[in-house]
Amino acid sequence: MPTYVTLLNWTDQGIRNYKDTAKRADAFAAGVQKLGAKLLTIYWTVGPYDLMAVVEAPDDETATAALLQLGGVGNVRTTTLRAFGQEEMARIIAKAAG
């Protein structure tokens, strides 16, 4: 399944409710699963981003739906990157090499 790395920053609402962040992460994992995707990991970070999540989803539409649901709650803003594993990258290089 395609992998997505999401960098998250708390909104004003999210930081005010920081005590619920672990519960919100569980709710996000459950919501992602209902859409047919999977939250592989989530980390709380120090630096320019407050959290980092790795999600597997069957397609871009499912990943986008999951992140729209997350953002719609109002606690975080997201920046999402499509990530490619080693095997995927080998296939991409083979195509590029022609």
Side-chain angles (χ1 to χ4, degrees), residues 30-44:
V32 164
Q33 190 170 18
K34 287 180 184 176
L35 292 172
K38 183 178 181 183
L39 176 62
L40 297 180
T41 193
I42 189 165
Y43 292 105
W44 287 259

Side-chain angles (χ1 to χ4, degrees), residues 62-93:
T62 303
T64 302
L67 294 166
L68 282 172
Q69 285 182 349
L70 175 65
V73 176
N75 292 307
V76 292
R77 300 253 184 260
T78 64
T79 300
T80 302
L81 310 164
R82 169 63 167 90
F84 297 92
Q86 186 173 357
E87 288 179 18
E88 290 173 297
M89 196 61 207
R91 288 193 303 270
I92 291 167
I93 291 169

Side-chain angles (χ1 to χ4, degrees), residues 9-10 14 20 27 32 35 41 45-46 55-56 58 61 63 78 88 91:
N9 279 313
W10 280 326
D20 297 331
V32 164
L35 292 172
T41 193
T45 59
V46 175
V55 174
E56 280 186 344
E61 291 83 5
T78 64
E88 290 173 297
R91 288 193 303 270

